[in-house]
Amino acid sequence: MKSKIHKMLKISTICLASALILGACGSSETENYAKYTAVNSAPAEDGHTSEVEFQEGRLKSDNWPDISAQVTYVNYGVGNNEEFDRVVVEYSGDSSVPLSFFSDGWTNKVYDSGRGEPFELDSVHAIQIKVGGVNYDFENPSETQKVTIPEGVNLKNVIIEAPFEGHQTINIGKDTVSKVRVFTLENPTRLVIDIAK
């Protein structure tokens, strides 16, 4: 199992979304992107490692629907390896309280959390993951982002919504249904979503 955990993801460089990390694509981008998407970025001692099992259907953290984490959205990364595609969302703020998360699993339609309108997807299926404890950052406001998918990644859509009422929603589209695992990492606070190929 450890050998699998320490495989490095193939890194595709894209302009990362947040000016808090990078003002534009540059030489430091690859290092920053690797930090988000490397499989071995999950330290074994933090209790939230990528040894979490892939599963079907509903996904829920033990502390859902706790929204006391009080973090703000910072950035994202998308990458892959031979076994799965990975989406990582990074947050800043109080890391003493773990993020909570919930998903009902795969569906054929996902809706904007604020307006309730359906997203236009390029995929047959989609999964929506709600993250609890994410506040809107009024000093560095963010809008809903439709991520450009790097070459080699099997996902069709990644839509990261702006935080709304203490939650942030991540929508991921794919043409086939597959097992998913979700876990958190610390220093910095991250939510990791792995989708099996």
Side-chain angles (χ1 to χ4, degrees), residues 108-122 126 128 144-146 157 159-162 169-171:
N108 58 6
K109 190 172 289 188
V110 289
Y111 296 86
D112 182 288
S113 298
R115 295 174 297 172
E117 298 176 359
F119 284 113
E120 292 186 11
L121 300 175
D122 302 321
Q128 188 172 70
T144 294
Q145 298 171 293
K146 189 170 184 179
N157 299 95
I159 301 171
I160 301 174
E161 296 186 39
T169 304
I170 297 112
N171 305 282

Side-chain angles (χ1 to χ4, degrees), residues 72-144:
T72 55
Y73 167 70
V74 173
N75 215 336
Y76 69 85
V78 179
N80 73 328
N81 68 8
E82 295 176 354
E83 299 177 2
F84 56 81
D85 297 303
R86 169 167 286 186
V87 177
V88 182
V89 184
E90 181 178 340
Y91 301 94
S92 66
D94 183 5
S95 61
S96 64
V97 179
L99 294 170
S100 65
F101 59 83
F102 173 82
S103 175
D104 268 328
W106 293 97
T107 181
N108 58 6
K109 190 172 289 188
V110 289
Y111 296 86
D112 182 288
S113 298
R115 295 174 297 172
E117 298 176 359
F119 284 113
E120 292 186 11
L121 300 175
D122 302 321
S123 61
V124 178
H125 305 284
I127 187 168
Q128 188 172 70
I129 295 113
K130 293 188 177 295
V131 188
V134 184
N135 294 322
Y136 191 82
D137 188 348
F138 289 96
E139 293 184 3
N140 299 283
S142 62
E143 302 296 329
T144 294

Side-chain angles (χ1 to χ4, degrees), residues 36-47:
Y36 288 154
T37 55
V39 178
N40 67 356
S41 66
E45 65 273 12
D46 74 355

